[in-house]
């Protein structure tokens, strides 16, 4: 048994014999001795830290040779990290290729991981920056400006939070002169649009905006903004002008064919036939706009280089395209590489450029002219090309398409000498490999690339236009417009790209994100809403930070009313009429389903009420809301005249939703005269009188020279005179208003030195009994508690004023040169009135401060002497 154990021990030691190091002696010490020796060795090492001591000690306990590991790491050679585990022979080509392939995969994965990580952090940083910019912009807009220090912003925010006039804090700064001219040019188009809507006529809003854009955007760098409107005109198929019919049935024959024309298809089921047809129309219209744009470039190129073009006197499309191809692809007496000549002509390039500029029929005619050469090089091409052009959707039947694909794959796919324009024509006809989105020498510019994508779009394959939109969104704005703030970054290109792929809400938001294109964003949104190509969010999805709503389960939506208000707030005080025209456009979305349309209408009503409260008072304000003529007849304002555009079907709705609620807002913002006028226009006479009494009660004790006080009194006098004529709003409140106005007249007479007249006026109000009848005085004191609050809380003012007048008249009577009998009678009458006032005041003493009562008593004593 012992022999077996010895043999086992020897065998176990042999298992690790190859791991032993000959330079290390065997350790045959106890644990205490090993620990002591370790401490002595460590203490001899200079610069050793406590942490290193503990680490080495722990590693030693685990039988780890730390110095050996450190030495191995120091001498590690990483150059052989990715060498094959087994050495490859020089003749092992397959092994070498397999190893190289594996290393390429590893490198690709690593590079992809790094790029993904960098892109993630870049997008995260950009998203954070955008969120911060949006929040900062929102704060400044609420504070009434775009620029300024953050400390100032915080201060103004506190002021606006604690102030009563919350609406005034939301108005913006006045735009500069250049911006005003730009805004006015576009505003005329909006006003004409609303006028046509009231007449129930169609209006070419997009083309009108194009004219305005050409007038104000004279800078060549702004051309893209006009081009975006041109794209929309082609998408909507809007005519350049609409001739109004002048006969009696014009309103029937010239029905609004364009207002909300596409709303049903755009806002409905995206999988419906109408929605699919609309996406096809969007792609077709965007492609047509790019073709017209390229034809303009072609003609300008020929004008700029007439010698190279050699155009001659033939103005045909074919000749112009020939000259353009010559300018573009003929250098130093020879054609560019890969340009294939048929009968000495670059036929493929000419046909492609004709298709590219929208002259597909002319391209077919050119093909027939060169049919012998074409059929010799590419048999069957003419039949494919004709079928493709004759197709309304530019889509070949499947058998022909399969043949085109077979020819392409067999002869062109892997050829390095194929004419790129012939390649492009085959790809277009067969819609071949749409994921490879560029063709060398063909898709040179962004516009060329976009046109090619739109020409390849098929609603039955690869997601159609929506699939293309996903690809473009993955590229992002930076790819087209450049980085925000980057020098030379273009503006409007990204919005145009989004327009072309049907992302209309995103296109408006892309323009709105930049201050210099906000005007274009607003009017592009109006044009889209007019044609029914804009989706508004529900209140639950609306954000105060950004107008674009991107709910997870919903398509993009644009806060239309939000951007309208942020736009008009810049000039709402200066020109409320123009601001109102933009609010009318909010109700274009009234037909949107799921209650969103109703919310849009209510938002428009709210904006109208804001305009009324913020608009400057005067004649313009009355033109806005209406008023009364000197003869008492009522005239309607601009808002009431456009009530149809606000979806207000009758006068009752107009009064309730606009006038009365605007009056309440005016009250809250301390604009009492305007509130009273609004209540009066709404026919709420009792509320008018109650407001007048309340307002006069608040101001009767204030100095008469205050302009606000005078405005309230003038308004009250006008309304009372009107109500007296019409016998309206009779009752205690109306009597209180008349009494308060008479008290103010008495104050004015006193200030003018007409104390006797002032005393007569105050006595005529019958507020204070002065006839000396004790029973009547007691009865009037008991009735006082039932008088309106405006009268009760000003008791001290009435008593003090009356006693002051009595004392002044008494003093004048005492020093007058009148006969003694008459003078004594006057003084006696004044003492009687003074005593009556004191009796009345004594009964109501609990309503007065002791100082006031003492003052009255002192004057009474002076009068009694």
């Amino acid at each position: 048994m012992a022999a077996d154990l010895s043999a086992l021990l020897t065998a176990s030691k042999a298992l690790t014999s190859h791991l032993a190091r000959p330079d290390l002696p065997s350790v045959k010490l106890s644990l205490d001795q090993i620990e002591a020796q370790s401490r002595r060795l460590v203490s001899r090492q200079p610069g050793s830290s406590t942490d290193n001591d503990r680490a080495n000690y722990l590693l030693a306990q685990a039988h780890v040779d730390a110095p050996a590991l450190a030495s191995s790491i120091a001498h590690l050679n990483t150059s052989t990290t990715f060498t094959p585990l087994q050495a490859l022979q020089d003749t092992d080509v397959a092994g070498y290729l397999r190893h190289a392939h594996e290393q390429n995969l590893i490198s690709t994965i690593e590079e992809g991981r790094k790029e993904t990580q960098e892109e993630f952090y870049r997008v995260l940083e950009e998203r954070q920056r955008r969120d911060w910019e949006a929040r900062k912009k929102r704060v400044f807009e609420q504070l009434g400006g775009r620029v300024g220090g953050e400390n100032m912003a915080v201060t103004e925010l506190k002021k606006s939070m604690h102030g009563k006039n919350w609406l005034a804090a939301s108005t913006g700064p006045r735009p500069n002169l250049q911006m005003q001219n730009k805004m006015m040019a576009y505003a005329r188009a909006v006003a004409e649009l609303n006028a046509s809507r009231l007449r129930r006529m169609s209006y070419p809003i997009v083309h009108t905006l194009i004219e305005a854009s050409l007038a104000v955007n004279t800078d060549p760098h702004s051309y893209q903004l006009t081009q975006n409107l041109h794209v929309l005109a082609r998408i909507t198929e809007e005519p350049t002008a609409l001739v109004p019919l002048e006969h009696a049935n014009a309103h029937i024959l010239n029905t609004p064919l364009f207002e909300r024309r596409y709303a049903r298809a755009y806002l409905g089921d995206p999988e419906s036939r109408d929605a699919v047809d609309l996406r096809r129309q969007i792609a077709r219209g965007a492609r047509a706009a790019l073709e017209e744009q390229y034809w303009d470039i072609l003609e300008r190129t020929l004008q700029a280089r007439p010698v190279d073009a050699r155009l001659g006197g033939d103005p045909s499309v074919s000749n112009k395209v020939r000259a353009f191809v010559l300018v573009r692809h003929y250098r130093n007496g020879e054609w560019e590489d890969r340009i294939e000549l048929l009968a000495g002509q670059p036929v493929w390039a000419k046909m492609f450029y004709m298709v590219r500029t929208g002259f597909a029929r002319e391209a077919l005619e050119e093909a027939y002219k060169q049919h012998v050469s074409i059929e010799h090089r590419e048999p069957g091409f003419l039949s494919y090309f004709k079928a493709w052009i004759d197709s309304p959707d530019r889509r070949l039947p499947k058998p022909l398409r399969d043949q085109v694909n077979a020819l392409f794959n067999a002869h062109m796919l892997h050829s390095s000498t194929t004419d790129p324009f012939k390649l492009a024509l085959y790809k277009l006809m067969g819609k071949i490999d749409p994921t490879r989105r560029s063709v060398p020498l063909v898709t040179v510019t962004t516009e060329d690339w976009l046109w090619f994508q739109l020409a390849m779009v098929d609603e039955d394959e690869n997601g159609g236009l929506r699939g293309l939109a996903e690809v473009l969104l993955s590229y992002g704005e930076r790819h087209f417009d450049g980085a925000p703030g980057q020098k030379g970054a273009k503006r409007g290109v990204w919005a145009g790209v989004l327009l072309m792929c049907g992302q209309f809400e995103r296109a408006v938001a892309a323009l709105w994100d930049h201050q210099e294109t906000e005007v274009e964003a607003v009017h592009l949104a109006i044009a889209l809403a007019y044609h029914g190509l804009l989706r508004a969010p529900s209140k639950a999805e609306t954000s105060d930070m950004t107008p674009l709503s991107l709910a997870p389960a919903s398509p993009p939506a644009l806060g239309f009313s939000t951007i309208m208000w942020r736009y008009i707030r810049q000039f709402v005080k200066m020109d409320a009429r123009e601001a109102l025209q933009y609010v009318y456009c909010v109700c274009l979305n009234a037909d949107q389903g799921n209650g969103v349309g109703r919310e849009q209408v209510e938002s428009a009503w709210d904006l109208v009420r804001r305009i009324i409260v913020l608009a400057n008072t005067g004649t313009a304000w009355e033109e806005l809301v209406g008023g009364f003529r000197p003869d008492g007849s009522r005239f309607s304002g601009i808002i009431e005249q456009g009530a149809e555009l606000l979806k207000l079907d009758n006068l009752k709705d107009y009064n309730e939703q606009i006038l009365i609620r605007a009056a309440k807002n005016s009250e809250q913002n301390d604009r009492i005269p305007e509130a009273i006028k609004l209540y009066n226009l709404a026919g709420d006479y009792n509320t008018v009188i109650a407001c007048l009494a309340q307002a006069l009660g608040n101001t009767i004790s204030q100095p008469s020279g205050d302009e606000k006080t005078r405005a309230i009194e003038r308004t009250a006098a006008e309304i009372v005179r009107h109500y007296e004529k019409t016998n309206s709003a009779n009752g205690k409140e109306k009597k209180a208003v008349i009494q308060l106005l008479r008290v103010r007249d008495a104050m004015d007479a006193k200030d003018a030195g007409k104390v006797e007249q002032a005393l007569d006026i105050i006595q005529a109000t019958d507020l204070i009994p002065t006839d000396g009848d004790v029973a009547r005085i007691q009865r009037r004191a008991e009735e006082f508690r039932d008088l309106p609050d405006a009268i009760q809380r000003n008791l001290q003012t009435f008593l003090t004023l009356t006693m002051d007048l009595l004392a002044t008249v008494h003093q004048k009577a005492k020093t007058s040169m009148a006969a003694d009998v008459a003078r004594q009678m006057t003084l006696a009458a004044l003492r009687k009135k003074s005593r009556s006032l004191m009796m009345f005041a004594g009964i109501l003493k609990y309503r007065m401060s002791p100082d006031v009562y003492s003052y009255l008593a002192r004057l009474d004593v002076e009068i009694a002497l």
Side-chain angles (χ1 to χ4, degrees), residues 15 59 85 87 128 154 274 283 295 325 376 388 399 410 415 424 459 479 488 493 520 558 564 592 618 693 773 786 846:
L15 289 175
L59 291 172
L85 296 178
Q128 289 175 338
V154 173
D274 289 342
W295 179 253
V325 173
H376 177 71
W388 180 67
S415 174
E459 283 301 315
H479 185 81
V493 176
E520 285 78 10
L558 185 79
M564 287 299 114
Q592 191 166 331
D773 187 343
D786 297 327
Y846 66 93

Side-chain angles (χ1 to χ4, degrees), residues 105-409:
L105 289 178
I106 294 173
S107 300
T108 302
I109 293 171
E110 180 62 19
E111 290 176 2
R113 185 191 65 81
K114 288 182 179 179
E115 290 178 0
T116 303
Q117 184 178 6
E118 292 174 359
E119 180 69 11
F120 169 77
Y121 285 114
R122 186 191 64 77
V123 172
L124 180 62
E125 182 180 357
E126 184 174 346
R127 181 68 59 84
Q128 289 175 338
R129 182 192 59 77
R130 287 199 174 200
D131 290 347
W132 166 239
E133 290 295 334
R135 291 177 181 273
K136 187 168 63 174
K137 179 179 178 182
R138 176 64 173 165
V139 169
F140 282 128
E141 285 180 347
Q142 291 296 332
L143 297 178
R146 293 185 176 278
V147 294
E150 295 186 8
N151 293 334
M152 181 188 69
V154 173
T155 303
E156 293 298 325
L157 181 60
K158 291 179 180 179
K159 289 181 180 179
S160 64
M161 290 174 62
H162 292 89
K164 291 182 178 180
N165 199 345
W166 60 273
L167 279 174
S170 65
T171 57
R174 184 169 182 168
N176 57 42
L177 182 60
Q178 181 181 1
M179 184 60 68
Q180 285 186 49
N181 293 334
K182 185 177 182 179
M183 295 167 74
M184 288 173 61
Y186 284 106
R188 284 191 288 270
V190 177
E192 292 173 3
L193 169 67
N194 289 323
S196 297
R197 291 173 62 201
L198 283 173
R199 297 194 302 268
R200 300 186 180 182
M201 294 173 57
S202 294
Y203 183 76
I205 180 62
V206 182
H207 286 86
T208 309
L209 292 177
I210 290 174
E211 294 177 2
S213 178
L214 290 172
V216 299
N217 293 322
T218 56
D219 184 359
H221 297 290
S222 303
Y223 170 74
Q224 182 61 44
L225 300 174
T226 306
Q227 176 63 18
N228 291 344
L229 292 170
H230 182 66
V231 170
L232 182 59
R234 291 296 168 266
I235 288 174
T236 58
E237 298 180 348
E238 182 187 272
T240 56
L242 296 172
V243 180
L245 303 178
E246 298 179 355
H247 51 77
N249 294 326
H251 67 285
I252 298 175
L253 298 178
N254 196 23
T255 53
L257 300 176
F258 297 102
E259 182 173 343
R260 308 298 290 174
R261 180 181 181 182
Y262 303 107
R264 182 176 180 180
Y266 186 74
L267 302 175
D269 182 7
E271 305 302 330
S272 66
R273 179 181 294 274
D274 289 342
V276 173
D277 291 341
L278 176 59
R279 289 195 291 272
R280 288 196 178 104
Q281 179 177 327
I282 292 171
R284 184 169 59 249
R287 191 175 68 242
L290 289 172
E291 290 167 356
E292 292 175 2
Q293 180 191 27
Y294 201 81
W295 179 253
D296 182 62
I297 293 173
L298 182 147
E299 291 192 317
R300 285 191 281 112
T301 301
L302 298 182
Q303 292 174 5
R305 300 175 61 181
V307 177
D308 295 336
R310 307 173 194 173
L311 185 61
D314 183 6
S316 65
V317 172
S318 176
N319 190 44
K320 287 185 177 181
V321 171
R322 176 202 59 76
F324 181 75
V325 173
L326 193 66
V327 171
R328 280 292 179 92
H329 304 289
Y330 192 74
R331 297 285 187 278
N332 300 321
E334 60 183 17
W335 293 95
E336 291 180 352
D337 293 341
R338 298 179 61 186
I339 297 294
E340 183 178 351
L341 301 179
L342 300 180
Q345 294 292 323
V347 176
W348 303 115
K350 288 176 63 177
M351 286 194 297
F352 175 82
Y353 279 118
M354 289 180 186
V355 173
R356 175 68 179 85
T357 52
F359 296 100
R361 288 290 170 188
E362 287 76 0
L364 183 60
E365 293 176 5
E366 182 69 20
Y368 277 120
K369 291 179 183 178
Q370 304 290 340
H371 69 281
V372 175
S373 301
I374 292 176
E375 286 297 318
H376 177 71
R377 293 288 183 91
E378 297 293 336
F381 175 83
L382 283 176
S383 60
Y384 305 143
F385 194 52
K386 183 178 185 304
W388 180 67
I389 290 177
D390 290 340
S391 171
D393 296 331
R394 295 282 172 86
R395 190 166 186 263
L396 289 176
K398 191 175 185 309
L400 293 180
R401 187 175 175 183
D402 292 341
Q403 294 176 27
V404 170
N405 275 265
L407 288 172
F408 180 85
N409 293 329

Side-chain angles (χ1 to χ4, degrees), residues 404-634:
V404 170
N405 275 265
L407 288 172
F408 180 85
N409 293 329
H411 303 293
M412 303 176 198
L413 180 60
H414 301 294
S415 174
S416 60
T417 60
T418 302
D419 188 307
F421 297 101
K422 179 170 69 173
L423 192 72
L425 288 172
Y426 269 93
K427 281 179 68 69
L428 290 173
M429 289 189 298
K431 298 189 185 299
I432 300 170
D433 197 7
T435 57
R436 298 186 66 177
R437 301 184 176 275
S438 61
V439 178
L441 300 179
V442 175
T443 54
V444 178
T445 65
T446 300
E447 289 77 10
D448 292 333
W449 186 86
L450 285 170
W451 178 87
F452 203 83
Q453 310 314 308
L454 292 167
M456 294 282 284
V457 162
D458 190 335
E459 283 301 315
D460 297 328
E461 298 177 4
N462 301 312
L465 190 64
R466 290 177 294 180
L468 175 60
E470 292 179 3
V471 173
L472 295 173
L473 289 171
S474 68
Y475 293 155
E477 180 178 7
R478 183 186 295 267
H479 185 81
F480 294 93
D481 276 356
Q486 179 181 338
K487 185 177 181 180
K490 296 177 287 185
R491 288 287 170 259
V493 176
W494 176 234
V497 170
L498 294 171
L499 272 177
M500 292 179 199
C501 61
Q503 296 292 310
F504 301 125
E505 296 82 7
R506 294 180 190 268
V508 175
L511 291 174
W512 181 259
D513 283 344
H514 305 287
Q515 182 179 349
E516 63 270 26
T517 56
E518 282 188 355
V519 177
E520 285 78 10
V522 169
H523 295 89
L524 177 62
I526 291 173
L528 288 166
Y530 179 70
H531 284 281
L533 294 173
L534 197 72
R535 183 178 289 101
S538 64
K539 283 187 177 180
E541 297 173 346
T542 303
S543 171
D544 291 336
M545 292 295 104
T546 174
L548 186 64
S549 174
L550 299 173
S554 305
L558 185 79
F560 191 65
S561 60
T562 301
I563 67 170
M564 287 299 114
W565 172 247
R566 293 187 187 177
Y567 180 70
I568 65 175
R569 57 186 284 279
Q570 303 174 78
F571 57 89
V572 63
K573 283 190 173 183
M574 299 179 293
D575 198 341
R577 299 178 61 174
E578 293 293 343
L580 187 64
Q581 297 297 325
Y582 288 88
V583 176
Y584 286 151
C585 296
V586 175
C587 291
L588 285 168
N589 299 305
D591 57 354
Q592 191 166 331
N594 298 324
V596 176
R598 179 65 182 180
E599 292 176 352
Q600 290 292 296
V601 172
E602 291 176 353
S603 295
W605 295 347
D606 178 62
L607 295 183
V608 171
R609 294 191 290 266
R610 292 191 194 185
I611 292 174
I612 292 174
V613 175
L614 289 172
N616 292 325
T617 57
T619 305
W621 188 83
E622 290 190 348
E623 291 178 357
L624 195 68
V625 300
F628 290 92
R629 299 183 181 91
D631 60 359
S633 60
R634 183 180 183 275

Side-chain angles (χ1 to χ4, degrees), residues 617-618 621-622 670-677 688 691-693 695-696 699-700 702-721 737 741 744 748:
T617 57
W621 188 83
E622 290 190 348
D670 200 23
R671 298 188 64 171
I672 305 302
E674 290 79 6
I676 292 169
K677 289 180 181 180
V688 171
C691 285
L692 284 173
L696 292 172
T699 61
I700 198 65
Q702 298 177 4
S704 59
D706 181 73
E707 181 57 33
K708 184 177 179 180
T709 300
R710 284 301 187 187
I712 294 174
E713 291 168 358
R714 285 194 299 269
T715 302
E718 293 173 3
I719 291 177
V720 167
R721 282 195 299 270
V737 171
L741 288 173
R744 175 58 72 183
D748 293 342

